[in-house]
Amino acid sequence: MFAQPASAQSIARTNQRYDEDWTALSGKADTGWQRLKFLPLDSAGDASITLGIEARARYEGFENPGWGATPDDGYLWLRLMPLADVHVGPARVFVQPIAGYARGVAGGNGPADQTGIDLLQGFGEWRFALGKESALTVRGGRELVALGSERLVGLRYGPNIPQAFDGARATITHKALKVDLLHLRPVQVGQRDFDDRTSDTRQLDAIYATWSTARNVAFDAYVLDYRNSAARFGGAAGVERRSTLGVRAFGREGRFAWNWEAMVQRGHFAGQRIRAWSLATETSVAFPAARLKPRLRLRANYASGDRKAGDGTLGTFNAMFPKGKYFGELSPIGPRNIINLHPGLDISLGKSVSVEIAGVAFWRAALADGVYDVPGQEIRSAGGSTARHIGDQVELSASWKASDTLSFAASLSLFRAGAFLRETGAARPIHMAGLETMLKF
């Protein structure tokens, strides 16, 4: 996050492939696959192309999805995402198609399952130097966007089809300050080839600023303006106009790391005013000198709910475009009307093998509001229940980085229903298993 790679061997592949910088290979006599990561297009070295590809196969199996309200499910996700990144002086073109398919999804594929063959990302960019320590970069087209911790605007990378946006971005950098100005519309994913389209109902405008200090500490401040002409909350539908003001502090000092964020939302929906807020924290301590190199982590989150239906005020927090797999591999609940505690332990077994054990306890923030999934649909209304406890989740996951390009992952999850689910409908325990293999070149 704060340091740049020192050599070609240490260059990390990211989920935002356009952020990878392979210029460390310039002028090097590398052979094999490394040559494809930085191919000069002219003798002067002003033009180059980077090629890459990601191939992923992931299986997920569920027993009692929806706490038993829907049949057992097991499906296979397949996706292939090649890329080409061309630089010519201050200009750049980045193209990343996708072939994404799902097999066996009960009830049919959704927008996060399948898209066929389509354009995931394709944008042009121009960089203007504004002095020795300042620059302006202007970008237009289709891209994946991750703001901060992806609590409000994320890649949706964990599911099969990431969430792309069409629009424009201007980035201003000055010393340790970076400011992004964004005008975006989400891409609506179709099930057939080349049928993804720009949404005509949702729009996002944002100002997002990050200031990094010299001591591995950074701060974000942002304003997000969101519009949805076809919004739904509970039984009401209408136009939603919502502004989010947020601040975030994150960094590390010695063995300690933190990522704390506060958000306030104001606006209106279907004649009601919006008064919502959220607080999200993650704090960890690592023991790199100990056996297994353990890292203890605690996440604690609050996202407001609607306290009283029909009072003219909507209190349900809207996470808009959050990252997929929000609370782990099994995430039946999203960050709306929620209080949760999420402790975890990471350990290293050597040879690039890591294991994570985590538990999550969920409660409703407002008793008059229901429970929502990650995309924001209400999956269980409040009914007549006054119970706050939704349930508890435990998860064991392991990953093995076999090489710079090949990795494997597996997970086992269990969600046990609490009093609220038992009082309002199906409440059987959800069991989930996941297996994944990924090639990222």
Side-chain angles (χ1 to χ4, degrees):
M1 178 175 70
F2 298 98
Q4 296 298 319
S7 65
Q9 289 72 29
S10 64
I11 298 174
R13 294 152 186 82
T14 69
N15 294 341
Q16 293 171 271
R17 302 302 300 272
Y18 55 76
D19 279 343
E20 297 174 7
D21 183 1
W22 293 91
T23 56
L25 294 178
S26 178
K28 301 261 175 106
D30 293 312
T31 60
W33 67 264
Q34 286 191 352
R35 297 185 61 185
L36 299 177
K37 303 310 291 183
F38 191 86
L39 291 168
L41 299 178
D42 66 347
S43 57
D46 293 330
S48 65
I49 182 171
T50 291
L51 301 176
I53 193 168
E54 176 186 311
R56 189 186 79 163
R58 179 176 177 83
Y59 171 80
E60 294 187 348
F62 290 85
E63 183 180 68
N64 302 321
W67 300 284
T70 56
D72 293 353
D73 198 5
Y75 49 81
L76 180 66
W77 280 339
L78 300 167
R79 75 182 182 201
L80 184 70
M81 302 190 303
L83 67 89
D85 189 7
V86 181
H87 292 256
V88 181
R92 177 192 193 189
V93 174
F94 183 93
V95 178
Q96 186 176 34
I98 183 173
Y101 300 94
R103 296 292 181 265
V105 178
N109 298 324
D113 298 312
Q114 178 166 303
T115 186
I117 300 173
D118 225 302
L119 179 66
L120 179 65
Q121 299 193 84
F123 60 80
E125 180 182 287
W126 194 280
R127 187 178 187 275
F128 302 88
L130 304 177
K132 293 183 178 180
E133 297 182 286
S134 303
L136 167 65
T137 302
V138 179
R139 178 183 296 177
R142 178 171 294 183
E143 66 170 307
L144 300 179
V145 178
L147 298 182
S149 301
E150 302 186 53
R151 290 171 174 136
L152 297 174
V153 181
L155 306 180
R156 198 173 69 191
Y157 190 79
N160 202 33
I161 311 303
Q163 173 65 70
F165 293 84
D166 289 334
R169 179 203 293 241
T171 302
I172 303 168
T173 57
H174 176 68
K175 297 182 179 180
L177 178 66
K178 175 184 176 184
V179 180
D180 280 305
L181 308 175
L182 303 105
H183 174 70
L184 306 169
R185 284 187 176 272
V187 173
Q188 294 182 177
V189 176
Q191 296 294 303
R192 298 184 299 273
D193 297 340
F194 305 110
D195 63 347
D196 291 359
R197 298 289 183 267
T198 307
S199 172
D200 58 1
T201 60
R202 295 190 293 171
Q203 177 178 312
L204 178 69
D205 296 288
I207 302 174
Y208 201 101
T210 300
W211 176 58
S212 302
T213 73
R215 297 189 60 184
N216 288 342
V217 177
F219 302 91
D220 291 348
Y222 55 86
V223 179
L224 310 180
D225 184 66
Y226 174 70
R227 307 179 192 188
N228 185 356
S229 60
R232 298 190 65 88
F233 287 91
V239 176
E240 177 186 8
R241 175 74 181 268
R242 185 182 298 248
S243 295
T244 304
L245 284 76
V247 292
R248 173 178 171 238
F250 59 104
R252 62 177 181 267
E253 182 67 36
R255 296 185 292 112
F256 294 91
W258 60 93
N259 184 358
W260 305 332
E261 190 166 1
M263 298 146 274
V264 175
Q265 295 184 333
R266 294 292 184 266
H268 54 82
F269 162 70
Q272 305 179 66
R273 64 177 186 173
I274 294 173
R275 295 292 185 270
W277 65 282
S278 179
L279 180 65
T281 70
E282 178 178 347
T283 309
S284 66
V285 55
F287 302 89
R291 185 182 179 185
L292 303 181
K293 300 179 181 179
R295 180 172 71 109
L296 295 171
R297 181 186 63 249
L298 177 63
R299 295 171 179 152
N301 300 279
Y302 181 101
S304 65
D306 196 31
R307 294 185 176 275
K308 186 177 180 180
D311 65 349
T313 299
L314 176 64
T316 305
F317 185 78
N318 188 350
M320 297 180 291
F321 307 99
K323 60 186 176 183
K325 307 288 185 181
Y326 197 93
F327 293 116
E329 297 301 306
L330 174 62
S331 290
I333 295 174
R336 297 162 176 83
N337 189 35
I338 204 80
I339 302 170
N340 81 284
L341 291 176
H342 188 167
L345 170 66
D346 302 334
I347 59 175
S348 173
L349 300 182
K351 296 183 179 180
S352 301
V353 176
S354 60
V355 174
E356 178 183 359
I357 304 169
V360 197
F362 298 95
W363 300 269
R364 288 191 297 159
L367 299 184
D369 205 350
V371 171
Y372 300 77
D373 62 12
V374 175
Q377 298 176 320
E378 188 178 46
I379 54 176
R380 187 70 65 89
S381 64
S385 175
T386 59
R388 195 174 292 275
H389 183 217
I390 302 168
D392 304 305
Q393 176 178 312
V394 62
E395 194 163 81
L396 172 65
S397 58
S399 62
W400 173 36
K401 188 173 176 60
S403 69
D404 288 340
T405 58
L406 183 63
S407 63
F408 302 90
S411 63
L412 292 172
S413 307
L414 167 66
F415 192 110
R416 289 194 176 276
F420 169 70
L421 293 174
R422 293 195 300 268
E423 292 178 5
T424 54
R428 301 179 67 179
I430 302 175
H431 297 86
M432 180 258 195
L435 293 171
E436 176 179 303
T437 180
M438 180 184 294
L439 174 71
K440 185 178 283 190
F441 162 72

